[in-house]
Amino acid sequence: MPPQPALVAGAIGGAALGVLLSALLIKKKEDRRVVVFASALAGGALGTMRASFGGASGARKDPTKRPAEPAVADLAADPVASPERLRSALRRGALVVDVRAADSSELTNKSTAPVFEVVDGSLSAPYDKVNQTIPVGALGLLQQEKSAPLVVHCRSGARAGKAIAFLRGLGYTDLTNGGGPAVVDLREAYADAGLPWRPHNMGSVMRQLFDPKSSTFTYLLGDASTGEAILIDPCIDQIDRDLALVEELGFRLTLMLNTHCHADHITATGEIKRRFQGTSKAPKSAISAASGADADRLIVPNETIKWAGGTRSLTALATPGHTSGCMSFYDAYTGAVYTGDALLIGGCGRTDFQGGSAKTLYRSVHSQLFVLPDDTIVYPAHDYKGRLRSTIGGEKSSNPRLGGGKSVGEFVKIMADLKLSNPKMLDVAVPANLRCGVPDE
């Protein structure tokens, strides 16, 4: 595809700006006002070029990655707002944007217990420390006008301030640093607006991992008291990463769950079992009986899946429709549900192959998932816009396919009109996954 005029102009403008800034800094190096002005211009130019190009390689970024050091000069960060300013923004209907990771790496240390806290209806758009960006593609799904109010928060406000600097460089104008759950002085302002912080006990460890190739999330749940860990939807391309993390955290992997027979990647369960073959440490694989796939354990609807010596459990919820054998796993202890492809953030899995049915998926989501508490965190198997999590209440109210009171007829038409091409891995992944991730010989 030929370069777009806007991109070429952005590149030329960025290069010209760099030359101009260098000249300014050399000529008036001693003048602090010029340095500040140059820094502000550079921040805006960087933001514009990042938004235009989306990264040099064009590859999908890993929104769960936790880099150690920024690679570019820090943007000037906005300070945390006063309670009065936060109240004003929330009264004006500001969209709340959460720029944190969405797992146990983000516990609120200053609360009465170490929990992960979420504001109802907030949009997940994690801050990238290296590039100092957030996924504006996710933001654009809910916030069309750059003049509309945004409240941006992290845990304590530091990353939120830098995310605001990035957004300001893109032309967003009504921005408030909402601090985060660790800022005690602001908790009341959120509660007064009907947006209290909802606590979620993550247990010892819950880590959300990402495969950029297939945009698949894998979840590692660990229990320190027993040393047990389980994986949900592991990908074969990330097997070394996942096993290294289990070892690094000092856990023993005992169970691997698949939400369904995937068509866009090969599960890692078969290869992990092979690596532990002949040892007492071999973990068990599990998938729904309705999937028709091989596994050590075939799960039936409403089955309780116990782990951590029986102290922790997941409830298997039958959510067919994307495929005939889809299962979601509800963790009442955490207040979270791992939905596979049945329910995605602002969407759902396709329904046109592998025994899929739009009517069935509609019934599954409404009867099994939308009946869970509204503050239940939704952890999907995929996201393509950089988001990490949602809530049941948020999906019920604003999911453009399944929420907002849409009827089954409306949903069936939406799905029929998608006209999607087949996944690139379909002919390889499905046969392998029916054999627990072991390709045909």
Side-chain angles (χ1 to χ4, degrees), residues 152-226:
V152 184
H153 82 81
C154 53
R155 194 183 70 84
S156 60
R159 285 167 291 174
K162 293 179 180 180
I164 285 174
F166 167 69
L167 290 171
R168 186 170 287 115
L170 296 181
Y172 289 84
T173 57
D174 195 342
L175 300 161
T176 301
N177 187 333
V183 183
V184 176
D185 292 345
L186 295 183
R187 295 179 72 91
E188 186 176 341
Y190 281 103
D192 290 346
L195 298 171
W197 291 100
R198 306 286 189 186
H200 296 266
N201 191 334
M202 290 289 178
S204 301
V205 169
M206 195 293 279
R207 291 290 294 272
Q208 185 182 39
L209 307 164
F210 188 70
D211 173 45
K213 181 179 177 182
S214 62
S215 294
T216 298
F217 288 120
T218 295
Y219 299 93
L220 169 65
L221 283 62
D223 178 72
S225 61
T226 61

Side-chain angles (χ1 to χ4, degrees), residues 1-8 52-53:
M1 188 175 84
Q4 297 299 308
L7 300 185
V8 175
S52 298
F53 289 96

Side-chain angles (χ1 to χ4, degrees), residues 20-353:
L20 173 61
L21 294 182
S22 298
L24 283 171
L25 291 172
I26 292 170
K27 185 176 181 181
K28 295 191 176 184
K29 187 176 182 180
E30 72 284 357
D31 189 339
R32 176 172 174 78
R33 288 175 299 173
V34 173
V35 175
V36 172
F37 174 66
S39 176
L41 284 176
L46 283 170
T48 302
M49 286 187 284
R50 290 182 197 127
S52 298
F53 289 96
S57 67
R60 187 170 289 123
K61 295 179 181 177
D62 180 350
T64 66
K65 190 174 183 180
R66 298 165 179 81
E69 296 294 337
V72 295
D74 282 344
L75 299 177
D78 265 42
V80 174
S82 66
E84 292 74 21
R85 182 177 174 185
L86 177 59
R87 283 190 175 92
S88 174
L90 294 174
R91 278 197 300 267
R92 289 182 287 113
L95 172 66
V96 178
V97 181
D98 181 356
V99 300
R100 301 172 297 170
D103 58 21
S104 59
S105 66
E106 295 282 359
L107 301 182
T108 306
N109 297 327
K110 294 183 179 180
S111 61
T112 55
V115 293
F116 179 64
E117 297 181 275
V118 176
V119 167
D120 291 345
S122 58
L123 173 70
S124 171
Y127 179 67
D128 181 337
K129 291 183 180 180
V130 168
N131 296 296
Q132 298 188 57
T133 63
I134 66 171
V136 290
L139 192 63
L141 295 174
L142 294 180
Q143 193 75 299
Q144 299 300 321
E145 298 295 331
K146 290 186 176 181
S147 60
L150 293 175
V151 167
V152 184
H153 82 81
C154 53
R155 194 183 70 84
S156 60
R159 285 167 291 174
K162 293 179 180 180
I164 285 174
F166 167 69
L167 290 171
R168 186 170 287 115
L170 296 181
Y172 289 84
T173 57
D174 195 342
L175 300 161
T176 301
N177 187 333
V183 183
V184 176
D185 292 345
L186 295 183
R187 295 179 72 91
E188 186 176 341
Y190 281 103
D192 290 346
L195 298 171
W197 291 100
R198 306 286 189 186
H200 296 266
N201 191 334
M202 290 289 178
S204 301
V205 169
M206 195 293 279
R207 291 290 294 272
Q208 185 182 39
L209 307 164
F210 188 70
D211 173 45
K213 181 179 177 182
S214 62
S215 294
T216 298
F217 288 120
T218 295
Y219 299 93
L220 169 65
L221 283 62
D223 178 72
S225 61
T226 61
E228 287 189 33
I230 66 175
L231 284 172
I232 299 174
D233 284 337
C235 295
I236 197 165
D237 289 343
Q238 301 295 338
I239 188 170
D240 293 327
R241 175 203 64 186
D242 296 350
L243 292 180
L245 182 59
V246 171
E247 182 177 0
E248 174 190 330
L249 296 173
F251 291 124
R252 178 172 60 89
L253 184 61
T254 59
L255 183 64
M256 303 171 291
L257 296 165
N258 279 299
T259 54
H260 62 291
C261 183
H262 302 275
D264 50 13
H265 68 273
I266 297 175
T267 178
T269 53
E271 175 60 18
I272 291 176
K273 284 170 58 65
R274 188 192 66 77
R275 292 192 184 190
F276 286 98
Q277 191 173 8
T279 74
S280 60
K281 297 181 180 179
K284 302 295 184 182
S285 60
I287 196 169
S288 75
S291 70
D294 294 334
D296 297 311
R297 181 172 177 178
L298 298 178
I299 304 167
V300 297
N302 302 315
E303 182 176 341
T304 299
I305 303 163
K306 294 184 178 181
W307 65 285
T311 62
R312 296 283 302 277
S313 65
L314 299 169
T315 302
L317 306 176
T319 50
H322 168 59
T323 73
S324 57
C326 287
M327 282 280 189
S328 297
F329 301 113
Y330 176 55
D331 187 343
Y333 175 76
T334 298
V337 61
Y338 302 90
T339 56
D341 286 23
L343 180 63
L344 305 178
I345 302 170
C348 62
R350 62 193 298 167
T351 58
D352 56 341
F353 64 87

